[in-house]
Amino acid sequence: MAGGTSTTTTAKQPMLGTAEPWWPAEDEIDEEVRADLDRWERDGDVSFVGDDGPRRFAVTRREALHALRDFVANRLPGFGPHEDAMLTADDWMAHSLLSAPINLGLLDPVEVVERAEDAYRNGDAPLASVEGFVRQLIGWRDYMWHLYWHFGHDYRQSNKLQARRHLPDWFTTLDADGTVEARCLSEVLRGVREHGWVHHIPRLMVLGNYAMQRGWRPDEVTDWFHRSFVDGYDWVMVANVVGMSQYADGGLLATKPYAAGGAYIDKMSDFCGDCRYNPRLRVGPDACPFHRRLLVVPRPQRRPPPGQPAHRPAVDRPHPSQRPPRTRPPGRSPWKQHPVTLPCW
C-alpha cells in the first residue's frame, strides 16, 4: 500500500447539486482554544494528528439549531439516494454533520427526528430520505448506545478473529507524507486529516474494511477512531468498531463481517477511476488491495451460538406451510403478555 505517490483531487466542488453545508463563524473563543491547544502541544502535554483549519461543527445550541434547519431545508431531500455513496470532490454530499452537536448534547435526537418528519409531512422531503435519516439516528444510534452498556467494559477487548498486527505509522498519522497508493484509502484519510470526519460508509467500508482484512488489533483500531474523529465518543466507537467494523465479537452485534472487495468501492464511489490499482483484478501487482486480502479474512475462533440464523442452513427451517399456526387468547395483547422495558435515552 505504501511506497508511491498518491493521486488526490484538491478542488472541492459539490457534485450532487445540493447546497454546501452552513458553516459556523469562529469567534474569540475559538482563537483562545486554538492558542491553548497549540501551547499544550509545544509544551509536550498533548499531541494531535490532522490539520488545523476552520471549525466545521456547531458547538453552541444556537449554532446547532441553525445547522439543523439548514440541513432539513437544503440537503435532507437528497440524503436517501446518496447516503451510501462516496465522491472524491464532495466530502459532505447530503449528510447532516449533526453527529458532533448531538453527541455534545446540543440537540436532542428526538427533536432532530421530528424536524425531519415534519419535512416529509409538509412535502419538503421524500420518504426515502427521511426514513434513511431517521433509521440512522433513532435506529442505529440508539442500538449502539444500549449495546455499549449491555455488553459491558470487557467488550472492548473482544478479538474473536485473533487479529494481532499493530496499526502502521502511515495510518495512525493519517498518511501525513502522502505515500498511500490506493486512491480510496488516500482520499478517506485526507478527509479525516482535514476535517476529523468522514461519513459512515468511508468509515466502515474503506477504513474499517481495510483494517479487518489486514488483521489489525481491534483495540488499536477502536482507539484510533476515538482519537481521530470529532464525534468519536467512547460509547460511539466501541460498539461500532469492535462489533460492526472489525467483527471482533464474533457475531454478537452483527450476523456477518462487513468485508468487501474493490468491486463494492468501485460501485459506490468514483475513487477507482484514476487509481493505480484495478478494481477488476484479483491477483497480480495491479490487483486492488481490497481484493487481494478479502479471501484470507479469518473466521471467528469459536463455535457459533445454537440457532443463530446467520450460521444455520436455510434448509433446516420448515416450510411456512408446515409451521404450526400462531395463536393467543382472544382480547390479550402480545405486549401485555411479554412486557419490554428499555432504559430512556
Side-chain angles (χ1 to χ4, degrees), residues 6-251:
S6 63
T7 302
T8 60
T9 300
T10 57
K12 293 296 162 190
Q13 299 296 327
M15 297 181 61
L16 291 181
T18 57
E20 186 176 4
W22 170 83
W23 303 122
E26 293 193 8
D27 55 22
E28 64 277 2
I29 297 179
D30 292 280
E31 295 179 6
E32 293 175 5
V33 171
R34 184 173 284 110
D36 288 340
L37 295 176
D38 290 343
R39 184 179 70 256
W40 295 340
E41 187 172 34
R42 288 194 303 269
D43 294 342
D45 297 327
V46 295
S47 61
F48 303 103
V49 295
D51 300 336
D52 188 11
R55 177 166 58 84
R56 295 303 195 187
F57 301 90
V59 295
T60 68
R61 170 68 173 172
R62 183 175 181 179
E63 288 182 346
L65 288 173
H66 197 141
L68 172 59
R69 289 192 296 267
D70 176 80
F71 165 68
V72 172
N74 297 316
R75 294 194 313 289
L76 176 60
F79 176 78
H82 308 108
E83 61 178 309
D84 291 345
M86 299 173 284
L87 293 175
T88 303
D90 192 345
D91 290 339
W92 318 109
M93 302 182 67
H95 291 271
S96 71
L97 309 186
L98 295 176
S99 57
I102 291 175
N103 290 351
L104 286 171
L106 302 174
L107 293 171
D108 189 305
V110 174
E111 72 174 323
V112 177
V113 167
E114 289 175 346
R115 288 288 186 100
E117 182 183 13
D118 289 343
Y120 165 70
R121 296 188 183 281
N122 294 332
D124 297 327
L127 178 61
S129 292
V130 174
E131 185 275 335
F133 180 68
V134 171
R135 174 166 38 85
Q136 287 192 7
L137 188 58
I138 294 296
W140 190 257
R141 187 175 186 274
D142 262 21
Y143 183 46
M144 293 298 98
W145 166 266
H146 292 301
L147 288 186
Y148 175 77
W149 298 107
H150 174 70
F151 287 148
H153 182 76
D154 293 340
Y155 181 77
R156 68 183 64 241
Q157 303 300 327
S158 301
N159 191 1
K160 295 296 185 180
L161 298 183
Q162 300 298 308
R164 301 301 184 192
R165 296 180 178 177
H166 296 288
L167 271 61
D169 290 340
W170 60 262
F171 193 85
T172 58
T173 58
L174 305 177
D175 187 29
D177 53 358
T179 60
V180 176
E181 294 184 284
R183 191 167 183 236
C184 61
L185 193 56
S186 178
E187 277 295 315
V188 172
L189 286 173
R190 176 203 54 76
V192 180
R193 184 175 68 248
E194 293 181 1
H195 312 306
W197 180 94
V198 293
H199 71 78
H200 62 288
I201 293 300
R203 300 188 198 200
L204 176 65
M205 302 309 298
V206 177
L207 299 173
N209 184 19
Y210 189 87
M212 180 180 63
Q213 290 188 23
R214 273 137 192 90
W216 294 350
R217 290 182 48 165
D219 59 340
E220 293 187 6
V221 178
T222 302
D223 181 65
W224 178 86
F225 270 96
H226 193 172
R227 291 183 291 106
S228 301
F229 282 81
V230 68
D231 54 6
Y233 283 62
D234 193 60
W235 72 265
V236 174
M237 292 306 180
V238 170
N240 269 301
V241 176
V242 172
M244 186 181 189
S245 170
Q246 300 305 293
Y247 200 66
D249 63 1

